[in-house]
Amino acid sequence: MSVTTQVGFRTFIPQPSMAPPLEVSGAAHWAKQNLFNGWISSLLTLLGVLLIVATVPRFLNWAVLDAIWSGDGEACRVDGVGACWAYVGANFRILMVGIYPVAEIWRPVISFVLMLAVIWLTVSGKVKGTRMLACWLILPFIAYWLIGGGSLGMPEVDQSRWGGLMLSLLLASVGIIISVPLGVMLALGRFSGSPVIKLLCVTFIEIVRGVPLITILFMASVMLPLFLPQGMDINNLLRIQVGMILFSSAYMAEVVRGGLQAMPAGQFEAAKALGLNYRHTMFYIIVPQAMRHVLPPMIGRCIALFKDTSLVLIVGLLDFLGMLKTSTQDSNWMGFEAESYVFGAFVYWLVCYSMSRYGQHLENSGPQNKH
Amino acid sequence: MNTATIAATSPDHQRPQTMIQVTKLNKWYGDFHVLKNIDFSVTKGERIVVCGPSGSGKSTLIRCLNRLEEHQQGDIVIEGVELTNSVKNIEKIRSDVGMVFQHFNLFPHMTILENLTLAPTLVRSMPLIEAQEQAMMYLQRVKIAEHAHKYPGQISGGQQQRVAIARSLCMNPKVMLFDEPTSALDPEMIKEVLDVMVELAQEGMTMVVVTHEMGFAKEVADRVIFMDGGEIVEENDPHNFFANAQVDRTQNFLSQILGH
């Protein structure tokens, strides 16, 4: 009993944090883990390599090394040469703006720059909230006025002369800009307390979703004029634009509905308890959060709408795809379909990939949606 | 003192002034009779604690007071305004009655400061600068001003609940409702929220608090109400309520929650 341990108060000292154990790393280790992990994996890797060896060098030879970058159609018809990119250079204006008058090309260019400016203002956060919304909603009208003219001292350019990538981008961007708010309103209408509004919204959405886009475009282009009263004439392009907006808004509505349904009841209750009315609750609290939740499918719808604009070829508009097709029938440049469609695919991909990247940027920015 | 004549000439100086008057309140969820003939009133500056087992209707009762739940029978009058289906009345009452929720319900896409300035600017048409000054003042009072520009997801639960209290105070409410404000918090964070509520009570705020924090009830309540099965079983001042409950059901409940 001579040794007594001292029992009682002890100060808590946290242990120091240690570095995690070293992972095995290096290229060889990575390759073994990812490419040769078992015999199935090794076989697939070998097959993949064979496929790449068989196709990529040939494509590169055609597209880059043996390609003709300048000159006329005859220079490209020599044996053994690759892709004729001179064709793209020679037809560039037609592909971009169609047969739009050369002297007026600054107008679509300015519209495009304006759109880039609004995108920049939005992405950089220079304008926010209501003012940002206003910028976006004014943009389609300014673009149609600039490109079409016919009022306020701007000389008119007939819509039969609009074409090329300009037309595709115009149809798609105006379609997106107007169908998103319209879709939000339709989605809110589906949740409306008024049975009449609810029925109207549901009927509209279900009818439009049950019909292929091409049908809507035909109806807008061919059938609508039959029903319009004598003397009333809405031009073809505008009818098709409206058709695309209606089509897109029905899909947007369903996307937004998913987001609205995912909103926790507590958000509605907190807004109500503060005395906010329905309009303010939706505009400031519910819709912004719901839109954030549905950003990935929404960007998907935007990309789909841009690609869908190529269908207007069928109702007689010469959009980007239409111009690609038409330009290969020019006697100077006959027989360069491959170049034409590869270039077309590249441009479509570029636009869609930009939208996709912007979507990812939006998803990753701003506050985390934790509750 | 002739209260009737005073009320007619200067209602502001009528004492005790009735803040909330609930008469013969009945509510059903489908066939389920959740509130049965509730009569209860709160005078200005009074602090009421409502307790009871889960499913007793205590949350439903205070959610009826600002029309988050609709009642089917009976009258609710808040500061002379009757709660009817009139949207105007409902919005008026909601802007004067603050509410703090179990799960805070801050707006996660807005900064703390924006959470506090939204309602005053929209509902009270307060200029933004003024709303921000007021918001910072209340954030300082709940000791959280340094987080004003963070988002709710970046602060702890206790801090979020204090922000929620400040958000309600920014509307200068005449009465504050608390619906189990500490039930979703880690034990270490309960005290920081209760401290804010005690402070609020000491400043004379009219409060109706649904809570299981009996320490809070003993310290600040003027009256404790015990509910079970959709009825008010017993109400008394805290001393008598805890020391000698009159109904066996109350004693039973108190022994359950104080017994350990």
Side-chain angles (χ1 to χ4, degrees), chain A residues 265-278 280 284-286 288-289 292 366-371, chain B residues 63 66 68 91 94-95 97-99 101 105-110 118-119 122-123 151 153-154 160 167-168 171:
Chain A
Q267 293 288 305
F268 291 90
E269 287 175 1
K272 280 185 189 171
L274 285 167
L276 296 185
N277 60 29
Y278 174 82
H280 287 152
Y284 291 99
I285 312 293
I286 305 301
Q289 292 187 64
R292 227 192 142 66
Q368 277 75 49
N369 264 319
K370 285 188 226 151
H371 293 283
Chain B
R63 286 163 60 87
N66 64 350
L68 290 184
E91 279 171 6
R94 280 176 180 163
S95 67
V97 176
M99 187 163 203
F101 299 88
N105 296 348
L106 295 177
F107 306 130
H109 61 304
M110 297 180 173
L118 184 76
L122 292 180
V123 182
Y151 287 93
Q154 296 169 309
Q160 289 191 47
R167 178 173 71 175
S168 285
M171 289 295 285

Side-chain angles (χ1 to χ4, degrees), chain A residues 305-325:
Chain A
L305 182 65
F306 175 64
K307 292 189 293 183
D308 282 349
T309 57
S310 56
L311 288 172
V312 300
L313 178 62
I314 298 170
V315 286
L317 296 183
L318 290 175
D319 72 323
F320 185 49
L321 188 65
M323 279 301 164
L324 286 166
K325 208 171 134 121

Side-chain angles (χ1 to χ4, degrees), chain A residues 177-314:
Chain A
I177 290 168
I178 299 187
S179 69
V180 169
L182 209 57
V184 170
M185 280 190 262
L186 281 169
L188 290 177
R190 260 196 114 136
F191 287 101
S192 167
S194 149
V196 179
I197 294 176
K198 190 173 172 170
L199 186 73
L200 283 175
C201 290
V202 173
T203 312
F204 173 82
I205 292 169
E206 293 304 335
I207 287 180
V208 172
R209 283 208 310 162
V211 177
L213 175 58
I214 196 74
T215 316
I216 292 180
L217 295 183
F218 269 125
M219 296 233 299
S221 173
V222 182
M223 285 173 64
L224 197 62
L226 302 179
F227 300 130
L228 286 179
Q230 201 87 67
M232 184 176 172
D233 181 39
I234 307 173
N235 70 56
N236 194 27
L237 179 61
L238 205 57
R239 292 198 305 267
I240 283 166
Q241 175 79 77
V242 169
M244 296 198 91
I245 288 171
L246 295 183
F247 180 79
S248 173
S249 61
Y251 280 89
M252 291 292 183
E254 287 301 280
V255 169
V256 175
R257 181 165 74 111
L260 291 176
Q261 279 172 336
M263 285 302 298
Q267 293 288 305
F268 291 90
E269 287 175 1
K272 280 185 189 171
L274 285 167
L276 296 185
N277 60 29
Y278 174 82
R279 212 159 37 86
H280 287 152
T281 304
M282 288 301 163
F283 188 79
Y284 291 99
I285 312 293
I286 305 301
V287 171
Q289 292 187 64
M291 295 284 273
R292 227 192 142 66
H293 288 305
V294 296
L295 213 50
M298 192 141 235
I299 297 288
R301 283 310 313 166
C302 295
I303 289 174
L305 182 65
F306 175 64
K307 292 189 293 183
D308 282 349
T309 57
S310 56
L311 288 172
V312 300
L313 178 62
I314 298 170

Side-chain angles (χ1 to χ4, degrees), chain B residues 24-36:
Chain B
K24 290 261 168 274
L25 182 71
N26 277 288
K27 176 170 175 58
W28 289 261
Y29 286 129
D31 289 337
F32 179 58
H33 199 173
V34 59
L35 292 177
K36 298 171 184 164

Side-chain angles (χ1 to χ4, degrees), chain B residues 206-245:
Chain B
T206 313
M207 295 161 77
V208 181
V209 185
V210 171
T211 186
H212 299 292
E213 296 296 330
M214 291 303 130
F216 176 81
K218 281 177 192 162
E219 191 179 344
V220 302
D222 295 309
R223 191 146 48 98
V224 182
I225 292 178
F226 172 66
M227 286 183 71
D228 189 28
E231 296 177 57
I232 292 179
V233 176
E234 183 162 0
E235 57 179 302
N236 214 331
D237 64 87
H239 177 76
N240 283 318
F241 181 83
F242 290 107
N244 47 12

